[in-house]
Amino acid sequence: MAEAEATQLKEEGNQHFQRQDYKAATKSYSQALKLTKDKALLATLYRNRAACGLKMESYAQAASDASRAIDINSADIKALYRRCQALEHLGKLDQAFKDVQRCATLEPRNQNFQETLRRLNTSIQEQLRVQFSTDSRVQTMFEILLNENSEADKREKAANNLIVLGREEAGAERIFQSNGVALLLQLMDAKRPELVLAAVRTLSGMCSGHRARATAILHAVRIDRICSLMALENEEMSLAVCSLLQAIIDSLSGEDKREHRGKEEALVLDTKKDLKQITSHLLDMLVSKKVSGQGRDQALNLLNKNVPRKDLSIHDNSRTIYVVDNGLRKVLKVVGQVPDLPSCLPLTDNTRMLASILINKLYEDLRCDPERDHFRKICEEYITSKFDPQDMDKNVNAIQTVSGILQGPFDLGNQLLGMKGVMEMMVALCGSEREADQLVAVEALIHASTKLSRATFIITNGVTLLKQIYKTTKNEKIKIRTLVGLCKLGSAGGSDYGLRQFAEGSTEKLAKQCRKWLCNTAIDTRTRRWAVEGLAYLTLDADVKDDFVQDIPALQAMFELAKTSDKTILYSVANTLVNCTNSYDVKEVVPELVQLAKFSKQHVPEEHPKDKKDFVDLRVKRLLKAGVISALACMVKADSAILTDQTKELLARVFLALCDNPKDRGTIVAQGGGKALIPLALEGTDVGKVKAAHGLAKIAAVSNPDIAFPGERVYEVVRPLVSLLDTQRDGLQNYEALLGLTNLSGRSDKLRQKIFKEKALPDIENYMFENHDQLRQAATECMCNMVLNKEVQERFLADGNDRLKLVVLLCGEDDHKLQNAAAGALAMLTAAHKKLCLKMTEVTTQWLEILQRLCLHDQLSVQHRGLVIAYNLLSADAELARKLVETELLEILTVVGKQEPDETRAAVVQTARECLIKCMDYGFIKPVS
């Protein structure tokens, strides 16, 4: 009875629908739905009610009813189309598109479905264009950020999106054109650190690579406002503003090496005035008490990076001259700060060292003696102006300034030591009762004893003075520093076992005390740093370095210090590790010259028994086990002028020593060593870059590049490896670079393309001519991978070169590894181009004999490659195939093809048979039953 009533109600609903009484129709269908359980009827009722919903513009209800009908019958085409219409009106175009796509699949000839499909596709594209258009995105971001009632999550997301937009050319230009700079200034006025940070980072992206925009932004935001933000006691803010200023400087000076994005419509006139204004404000920041230590560091970093010439072949050093004339006294004031005095400016652990490095860079950037004399006079006048019998604080500042200069240009510092009253003041401060005075005096003595040959006063009085302080002081801070001075003087003999300053065992005692202080976490970090400084000198002694690497707590304490924010320790740690791994340069000992020196009673350097290779290898193992790689990786990341080119060279030396044993390279990769080596291979001294590149070559030669250099980083490895393919490098560097390039070129065509673009191909070809067997083999293996690249193949196809001839002749060499590589290259070349198959027969008269030798080779891999070459030649041209069949090659193919294809020979026998089948296809031979 209920089913009959439901069917009747359905009919009533249909009649109401025809009379366009959709409300009554909906009521009938709804009543019917309560009475039936028949699935077919249920589907019809839901589908019909969905039609009513569409007519009454109740699109959500219509979509829901249509979905219920589809749940019962997924191929219900009417329900699908009705849901599509409802979803379109609800703005869910992507879902509507899927429904009509299903309809068109079920009824491909239905024009209505096809038209809806086209219309929806167009609407979706337009919606996406509007949704993702830069105008819309910029407007949306600013609306969210400037609305105080916006949710925190939305604000954070909008800020991040704005930063990303600023880095894209279209986004940066759109922000700029739509009054974005003024809106960003409003964000900076909001006084909310996260919004100020977002505004700064967005401006940084907008300035990069666009001089006109950078100039406009500098004038709109104003340099004093930028510097005031950098001066805040907020490390993240200081770094962000430093990046903004660097982007502006790069764009204004043309130092930005990247391609300039977009077209610079505006004509930018001389930028020197703006650059000078930036430099002037940075110099003012150095001596302002309102500037935080972090802000002062960033100002020094910017001056270090942008004032001295990067290339001394450029004649213009006007920026340096300007800073010397207008800011050297300000830099000297920072160098002369004593943290323990109440008048001290806000500093970090790195500030004074950054100032010393700036003084050194400025001094080295001077071109002539008059300029250097002027520089020295400013320093002398500044120091003498500080001498005051009535004010001990000023005297301490004067000696601290000399100490700072000694850490920079030592020659200049040594001249200042000779000034009247300087040494006397140092001695007087050593005897002072104030701890601050003694600390400054002892540190100055330590820095003064860097070069014994020049610091004559220290040679005469230094050891006695330091020993006296060491014995009498009860202050641990002073004790450590005096000990370091003694360490420096005691290590004057370097690694020469026969030249010792102290009595037997004294050096080991000093080192033991240094290690003890290093492990004592109760002592402040600044003082513990001096213990590492002492070890940097003492570890020249092999007994000391051997004891040190066995002291795991001391090693790990040093590594932890290297990871702290105090970057002044970097050079000492790097030096200590160079000593422990014996990665310093050692002059080659010529036996004849040794005999001559002994005969003339000259001193001959002696090697310590513990400096032999077995001991060094053991020390490397212990360092790796103690976690040296993570410490090195952290040191390389230091974004500071304190990470000098000399320090980078030391780190590169250590890395190379650690990579020496292939078994250790997996550990190095796993701890991030591959990633850390890349920047060392791209920047620094020439020696450092070569050492780092060699370390990369060692890793690339044996490691999976996808693991050692994940992602896009692998492409950065190519240039350092190519730089080692140079006749000025030694054979091992050439060989391991070729192995590394072989490994990389086997990974992807994109990598082969990168190697080709770095112009490595001529160098690889040169080493294929090399007399040295291993070099020739490595180069040929590299070429074997490179020939997969189309541009390399075009080089072989070009007329007037002997590239193909060389590969063919190398296939005829006696060394089976070399043959294997050459045959592999030839197999791929002949498979890629028929023209090369014909060319192969013309480059040398020995080609056929070489091919036959390959096909008969006792090494299966070489034989297989030879047979592949034969198959390529047979497939290339019928006439060439006829010539080959008429030679002994046919007999060779027949003999090989008749063999039983066991596991090892399967590929060889199969290829020989394919060659015979090809001959049968031509009709040159007939099959035998």
Side-chain angles (χ1 to χ4, degrees):
M1 288 288 290
E3 292 294 336
E5 193 178 343
T7 305
Q8 188 181 346
L9 282 167
K10 185 198 82 169
E11 294 301 329
E12 280 179 18
N14 290 351
Q15 288 168 11
H16 289 311
F17 191 88
Q18 286 169 1
R19 289 197 293 270
Q20 298 182 359
D21 188 351
Y22 305 119
K23 199 170 183 179
T26 301
K27 188 177 179 182
S28 297
Y29 294 140
S30 299
Q31 287 173 341
L33 282 165
K34 293 174 184 176
L35 299 171
T36 184
K37 291 183 180 178
D38 181 75
K39 285 195 172 181
L41 183 56
L42 281 170
T44 305
L45 290 167
Y46 279 126
R47 186 174 67 211
N48 289 356
R49 196 167 75 173
C52 294
L54 286 171
K55 294 294 184 182
M56 293 188 296
E57 298 183 3
S58 299
Y59 299 119
Q61 184 61 48
S64 174
D65 285 339
S67 294
R68 289 183 179 187
I70 293 162
D71 288 342
I72 296 166
N73 178 10
S74 61
D76 188 336
I77 202 160
K78 286 185 179 177
L80 279 164
Y81 189 60
R82 282 169 192 170
R83 187 170 72 175
C84 160
Q85 290 174 299
L87 289 170
E88 183 182 358
H89 282 100
L90 289 169
K92 298 176 180 179
L93 300 184
D94 52 341
Q95 294 175 40
F97 185 80
K98 286 178 185 175
D99 282 345
V100 77
Q101 205 170 32
R102 176 95 173 111
C103 294
T105 306
L106 294 167
E107 284 188 23
R109 295 185 180 179
N110 188 316
Q111 292 300 314
N112 196 21
F113 294 161
Q114 295 294 338
E115 181 57 40
T116 307
L117 202 61
R118 280 192 290 274
R119 189 184 74 253
L120 280 175
N121 185 43
T122 306
S123 299
I124 287 168
Q125 295 303 320
E126 179 60 24
Q127 188 184 58
L128 287 171
R129 192 189 68 76
V130 171
Q131 186 179 341
F132 291 102
S133 71
T134 312
D135 280 6
S136 170
R137 287 160 76 194
V138 171
Q139 191 176 351
T140 307
M141 296 310 113
F142 278 119
E143 282 173 3
I144 294 168
L145 289 168
L146 293 170
N147 182 359
E148 290 185 6
N149 299 320
S150 297
E151 294 171 21
D153 289 349
K154 279 190 174 181
R155 274 195 165 195
E156 187 181 347
K157 194 174 179 183
N160 289 332
N161 288 342
L162 196 62
I163 294 165
V164 173
L165 269 176
R167 290 173 185 159
E168 301 167 2
E169 171 53 32
E173 192 57 32
R174 196 65 261 160
I175 295 170
F176 188 74
Q177 295 293 348
S178 56
N179 198 34
V181 177
L183 292 169
L184 287 166
L185 286 172
Q186 283 185 44
L187 284 184
M188 290 166 78
D189 289 335
K191 305 297 181 189
R192 292 184 58 174
E194 71 276 13
L195 294 185
V196 178
L197 209 53
V200 169
R201 285 172 175 161
T202 306
L203 288 168
S204 186
M206 290 168 69
C207 290
S208 295
H210 201 294
R211 187 180 290 183
R213 222 164 29 226
T215 305
I217 287 169
L218 178 64
H219 290 177
V221 184
R222 298 192 328 274
I223 183 63
D224 56 332
R225 186 174 189 173
I226 294 171
C227 288
S228 66
L229 280 173
M230 196 163 77
L232 294 174
E233 189 67 66
N234 181 324
E235 186 176 355
E236 198 176 14
M237 183 69 73
S238 285
L239 283 168
V241 178
C242 181
S243 297
L244 168 60
L245 267 176
Q246 188 60 59
I248 292 171
I249 292 167
D250 284 345
S251 295
L252 295 187
S253 63
E255 290 288 329
D256 197 332
K257 300 296 181 193
R258 289 173 292 172
E259 274 188 44
H260 281 252
R261 305 172 301 159
K263 292 179 181 177
E264 297 201 18
E265 299 286 335
L267 176 66
V268 181
L269 298 173
D270 190 10
T271 59
K272 285 181 182 175
K273 188 177 177 183
D274 287 331
L275 287 168
K276 192 175 280 188
Q277 189 186 24
I278 292 170
T279 305
S280 177
H281 273 80
L282 291 175
L283 290 169
D284 289 343
M285 283 183 74
L286 299 184
V287 291
S288 170
K289 285 204 168 185
K290 294 178 182 178
V291 176
S292 68
Q294 196 61 240
R296 208 176 314 279
D297 282 5
Q298 297 308 333
L300 284 163
N301 273 325
L302 285 166
L303 290 166
N304 266 308
K305 191 171 180 181
N306 299 293
V307 173
R309 291 170 293 170
K310 292 178 179 66
D311 182 0
L312 294 178
S313 63
I314 298 167
H315 188 71
D316 181 20
N317 69 340
S318 55
R319 277 193 274 191
T320 294
I321 298 299
Y322 175 78
V323 170
V324 170
D325 289 341
N326 298 279
L328 181 55
R329 288 172 183 81
K330 293 172 182 175
V331 183
L332 290 170
K333 182 173 181 178
V334 176
V335 163
Q337 293 300 299
V338 179
D340 300 321
L341 296 184
S343 61
C344 184
L345 295 167
L347 304 175
T348 70
D349 292 330
N350 303 314
T351 311
R352 289 188 60 248
M353 179 59 80
L354 285 167
S356 292
I357 290 167
L358 179 57
I359 291 171
N360 188 48
K361 285 188 172 185
L362 292 171
Y363 191 72
E364 286 182 349
D365 198 39
L366 301 174
R367 295 173 308 180
C368 56
D369 286 342
E371 288 180 0
R372 281 183 277 274
D373 288 340
H374 175 59
F375 192 102
R376 180 177 50 78
K377 281 175 184 171
I378 292 173
C379 294
E380 286 178 354
E381 287 168 10
Y382 180 84
I383 291 163
T384 50
S385 70
K386 290 286 176 186
F387 285 143
D388 186 348
Q390 306 302 319
D391 190 341
M392 188 53 78
D393 285 1
K394 280 191 171 184
N395 295 326
V396 173
N397 285 134
I399 298 304
Q400 185 82 318
T401 306
V402 174
S403 183
I405 295 170
L406 283 163
Q407 292 175 79
F410 183 84
D411 291 343
L412 174 64
N414 206 32
Q415 288 177 340
L416 298 174
L417 279 176
M419 285 169 54
K420 187 181 177 183
V422 171
M423 290 308 305
E424 290 81 356
M425 183 57 68
M426 283 168 68
V427 173
L429 289 174
C430 283
S432 170
E433 293 180 4
R434 277 202 316 182
E435 179 188 302
D437 299 352
Q438 288 185 10
L439 283 173
V440 168
V442 171
E443 285 185 21
L445 276 171
I446 294 166
H447 296 310
S449 61
T450 299
K451 291 186 181 177
L452 290 175
S453 58
R454 303 200 181 175
T456 50
F457 180 90
I458 305 300
I459 294 171
T460 314
N461 306 294
V463 176
T464 312
L465 198 57
L466 288 170
K467 278 183 178 178
Q468 187 183 342
I469 297 169
Y470 185 70
K471 285 175 184 175
T472 56
T473 187
K474 292 179 181 178
N475 187 308
E476 289 279 276
K477 292 181 179 181
I478 297 167
K479 215 173 185 67
I480 291 176
R481 284 161 173 79
T482 52
L483 183 73
V484 171
L486 292 169
C487 292
K488 287 181 85 168
L489 295 166
S491 64
S495 59
D496 183 354
Y497 182 50
L499 191 65
R500 292 186 169 218
Q501 295 291 307
F502 295 153
E504 188 73 33
S506 296
T507 313
E508 288 91 322
K509 283 181 184 175
L510 288 172
K512 191 175 180 181
Q513 187 60 57
C514 281
R515 299 205 312 268
K516 185 180 171 184
W517 275 320
L518 180 58
C519 294
N520 187 350
T521 51
I523 301 172
D524 65 285
T525 306
R526 205 168 133 223
T527 306
R528 286 168 69 209
R529 175 174 68 80
W530 282 97
V532 182
E533 184 94 4
L535 287 167
Y537 295 99
L538 292 174
T539 47
L540 284 164
D541 184 299
D543 287 316
V544 171
K545 63 180 99 169
D546 219 54
D547 290 342
F548 182 43
V549 295
Q550 291 180 60
D551 188 345
I552 300 299
L555 271 183
Q556 290 178 338
M558 182 175 80
F559 296 157
E560 288 307 311
L561 280 177
K563 295 174 186 177
T564 61
S565 59
D566 182 357
K567 300 304 174 194
T568 55
I569 199 171
L570 295 181
Y571 188 77
S572 302
V573 174
N575 243 324
T576 305
L577 291 172
V578 164
N579 293 340
C580 290
T581 55
N582 283 40
S583 46
Y584 40 71
D585 287 327
V586 180
K587 289 182 180 178
E588 190 178 346
V589 177
V590 181
E592 291 82 359
L593 291 177
V594 172
Q595 291 300 321
L596 190 63
K598 284 180 178 177
F599 180 75
S600 58
K601 296 183 180 179
Q602 295 292 317
H603 174 73
V604 178
E606 295 177 42
E607 185 185 43
H608 194 290
K610 289 184 179 177
D611 275 332
K612 297 193 184 300
K613 192 172 188 312
D614 291 348
F615 282 93
V616 176
D617 291 346
L618 192 58
R619 286 202 289 271
V620 165
K621 290 278 183 196
R622 284 174 173 152
L623 284 168
L624 287 168
K625 195 174 178 182
V628 67
I629 297 297
S630 61
L632 289 170
C634 193
M635 290 164 75
V636 170
K637 285 180 191 170
D639 184 21
S640 166
I642 292 173
L643 186 64
T644 59
D645 288 349
Q646 287 71 29
T647 308
K648 288 178 187 174
E649 182 186 317
L650 294 176
L651 295 175
R653 286 175 181 275
V654 175
F655 264 120
L656 181 56
L658 297 172
C659 292
D660 191 53
N661 189 335
K663 291 178 183 176
D664 295 331
R665 293 172 200 170
T667 306
I668 292 166
V669 166
Q671 295 177 8
K675 176 184 173 183
L677 265 169
I678 295 172
L680 295 177
L682 298 173
E683 294 174 3
T685 64
D686 291 339
V687 172
K689 287 191 284 188
V690 171
K691 299 278 183 192
H694 193 188
L696 280 173
K698 284 179 180 289
I699 290 172
V702 298
S703 306
N704 180 342
D706 298 334
I707 296 170
F709 315 106
E712 295 295 305
R713 195 169 288 119
V714 70
Y715 301 103
E716 296 176 45
V717 179
V718 173
R719 184 172 293 174
L721 295 194
V722 173
S723 72
L724 292 178
L725 300 182
D726 190 315
T727 50
Q728 292 182 348
R729 313 277 176 253
D730 64 46
L732 184 62
Q733 291 170 337
N734 299 154
Y735 176 67
E736 291 185 318
L738 287 166
L739 291 184
L741 289 170
T742 302
N743 198 3
L744 294 179
S745 59
R747 305 306 296 177
S748 70
D749 195 58
K750 198 174 174 186
L751 269 168
R752 288 189 283 274
Q753 187 68 24
K754 174 69 176 169
I755 293 168
F756 182 82
K757 282 186 176 176
E758 291 293 340
K759 299 178 181 174
L761 206 66
D763 294 317
I764 296 168
E765 287 169 349
N766 286 341
Y767 287 107
M768 288 170 72
F769 283 101
E770 186 66 49
N771 288 327
H772 194 285
D773 291 343
Q774 284 180 299
L775 275 175
R776 193 162 44 151
Q777 178 199 321
T780 310
E781 285 174 354
C782 190
M783 184 59 77
C784 181
N785 286 342
M786 287 299 295
V787 294
L788 289 166
N789 180 265
K790 285 184 179 178
E791 290 185 59
V792 176
Q793 290 170 11
E794 285 169 12
R795 293 265 187 132
F796 280 88
L797 283 165
D799 294 327
N801 70 75
D802 289 331
R803 288 188 180 90
L804 190 64
K805 180 179 179 180
L806 173 62
V807 174
V808 174
L809 292 174
L810 288 174
C811 289
E813 289 287 328
D814 294 330
D815 182 348
H816 75 268
K817 288 183 179 177
L818 180 59
Q819 278 183 302
N820 198 45
L826 194 56
M828 284 184 277
L829 287 167
T830 50
H833 296 279
K834 288 182 180 181
K835 183 180 173 183
L836 289 175
C837 294
L838 298 168
K839 191 174 179 180
M840 175 183 161
T841 64
E842 298 165 1
V843 291
T844 173
T845 54
Q846 301 171 44
W847 71 273
L848 185 57
E849 181 192 339
I850 289 168
L851 179 60
Q852 289 171 348
R853 280 181 62 195
L854 290 176
C855 293
L856 284 169
H857 208 283
D858 55 358
Q859 292 282 334
L860 290 177
S861 61
V862 180
Q863 185 181 19
H864 181 236
R865 292 177 181 205
L867 290 166
V868 170
I869 296 165
Y871 178 80
N872 294 340
L873 297 184
L874 288 167
S875 305
D877 182 74
E879 191 56 41
L880 175 57
R882 185 189 300 278
K883 285 181 184 176
L884 288 170
V885 169
E886 291 169 358
T887 68
E888 292 174 7
L889 186 66
L890 180 60
E891 188 180 339
I892 294 167
L893 293 173
T894 307
V895 170
V896 178
K898 282 181 179 178
Q899 292 174 352
E900 284 299 318
D902 56 24
E903 273 186 40
T904 55
R905 293 187 160 274
V908 170
V909 175
Q910 181 60 33
T911 309
R913 289 176 180 178
E914 285 173 6
C915 290
L916 293 168
I917 291 166
K918 181 60 71 176
C919 292
M920 284 189 280
D921 291 344
Y922 283 127
F924 298 149
I925 59 173
K926 292 182 180 178
V928 179
S929 58

